[in-house]
Amino acid sequence: MPHRIIFSDIDGTLLNSDRELSEHTIAEIKRIKDTIPVVLISSRMPSAMTHLQEELNIKDQPLICYNGGLILVNEKTVHSTFISPDITEVLCEFNANQNFHISLYHNDDWFVPEMDFWANREATNTKVQPVVRSSNEVLQEWKINKKGAHKIMCMGEENYISEAYSFLENNFGDTLHLYRSKPTYIEIAHKNISKLTAIDFLLNTHFNIPISDAVAFGDNYNDIAMLKAVGTGVAVANAKPEAKEIADVITLAGKENGVATYIQKNII
């Protein structure tokens, strides 16, 4: 299949063991970027992705944030799907004893109730600092301004996260996409969106490239649909078994420059 455009996941796929871009990755993407668009696609918020775009010199390309919940072109929103504040309120009521951490995200805003262990760890990983503000205040403001969460992140001890997952699945399984990225995490988005819906949107409205000419790189459950749909789905060696099973190609692990190695060997 021809490689006319690249979509790459970030965490577990593009970054090295220091959660940074390696010199090899930067060099390979800079080598091809003027002829083949490279689009980052992640569950991250925009400001946790733009510094990577800058390092790769691809600031002119769109960003797919929040697993497809927010798509930016030239730093302007071209697509946005968020979770109703009413649903988020029910989750906060369920967590009245604050057994687990709840982070709320809208566009480039990240709100946390306090800078606890979970908020600090996420800030270190993404190189973004959240705003400390009560969830109730945030939700009331969102209601007034007709906003909602592009992503909700629940983080905490495994037993509490399991209880939260069951509660959300039982009450909002038809509305929410629940993704247990780790035993201590739940990433929550609207069920209508995915990385694949975002890719389809950009290919049809911005690039005019058939999906059969696209290559995508990923490692996790939320990458499976896009890896299966694109012309060439490439899983890194550290990917979940389910992702590797449906991938067309398996490259080296993310920490071993798997994306750069594939590009070097297959894109002249």
Side-chain angles (χ1 to χ4, degrees):
M1 292 287 185
H3 294 358
R4 293 178 58 196
I5 187 168
I6 290 173
F7 295 92
S8 181
D9 172 54
I10 294 175
D11 297 287
T13 301
L14 194 64
L15 304 183
N16 62 20
S17 55
D18 296 320
R19 300 182 74 90
E20 295 176 349
L21 294 165
S22 71
E23 290 184 11
H24 188 192
T25 298
I26 293 170
E28 280 303 309
I29 290 178
K30 283 185 174 180
R31 180 179 65 82
I32 64 165
K33 70 176 183 63
D34 292 333
T35 53
I36 298 174
V38 179
V39 179
L40 301 183
I41 181 166
S42 173
S43 64
R44 291 184 175 207
M45 63 194 295
S47 56
M49 301 170 69
T50 50
H51 68 282
L52 300 173
Q53 276 192 313
E54 288 169 2
E55 287 185 71
L56 296 168
N57 199 15
I58 55 170
K59 281 279 285 181
D60 57 328
Q61 296 301 338
L63 268 184
I64 299 175
C65 315
Y66 300 123
N67 286 330
L70 179 69
I71 305 174
L72 303 178
V73 175
N74 296 323
E75 299 182 5
K76 294 181 180 177
T77 300
V78 296
H79 179 83
S80 173
T81 301
F82 51 75
I83 300 163
S84 163
D86 294 334
I87 293 176
T88 311
E89 257 184 345
V90 175
L91 172 62
C92 291
E93 288 167 6
F94 172 78
N95 191 39
N97 293 330
Q98 297 185 334
N99 290 325
F100 53 91
H101 172 100
I102 299 177
S103 276
L104 301 177
Y105 299 82
H106 176 88
N107 205 317
D108 235 358
D109 294 326
W110 172 23
F111 298 103
V112 299
E114 61 178 323
M115 286 304 296
D116 58 9
F117 166 81
W118 304 99
N120 278 300
R121 186 163 80 167
E122 198 64 15
T124 300
N125 288 344
T126 61
K127 297 179 171 59
V128 177
Q129 284 297 316
V131 174
V132 177
R133 197 171 175 196
S134 78
S135 297
N136 184 57
E137 277 184 46
V138 173
L139 293 172
Q140 294 312 308
E141 184 179 291
W142 281 357
K143 283 183 178 182
I144 293 168
N145 295 315
K146 294 181 169 53
K147 293 181 178 180
H150 283 118
K151 182 175 81 169
I152 303 169
M153 182 89 88
C154 298
M155 297 176 277
E157 294 178 22
E158 188 172 347
N159 59 317
Y160 291 127
I161 293 301
S162 295
E163 290 173 6
Y165 189 97
S166 297
F167 173 80
L168 290 165
E169 190 172 45
N170 291 335
N171 289 277
F172 302 108
D174 294 336
T175 308
L176 300 179
H177 177 74
L178 308 173
Y179 170 51
R180 196 114 179 233
S181 50
K182 299 177 184 177
T184 52
Y185 280 54
I186 311 172
E187 296 182 31
I188 307 166
H190 198 286
K191 196 144 195 173
N192 288 346
I193 60 95
S194 68
K195 290 186 176 182
L196 178 56
T197 62
I199 287 173
D200 280 334
F201 178 88
L202 281 179
L203 290 178
N204 292 325
T205 65
H206 186 71
F207 290 109
N208 193 26
I209 295 174
I211 198 166
S212 58
D213 290 354
V215 57
F217 296 92
D219 73 308
N220 222 322
Y221 298 118
N222 60 339
D223 298 317
I224 288 174
M226 74 168 181
L227 292 178
K228 195 172 183 179
V230 296
T232 308
V234 183
V236 287
N238 55 287
K240 300 292 185 188
E242 294 88 339
K244 289 195 282 189
E245 187 177 331
I246 57 88
D248 299 297
V249 180
I250 299 173
T251 185
L252 297 176
K255 294 177 181 179
E256 297 172 351
N257 299 313
V259 174
T261 300
Y262 180 87
I263 292 172
Q264 184 178 34
K265 289 181 178 179
N266 296 280
I267 302 178
I268 300 172

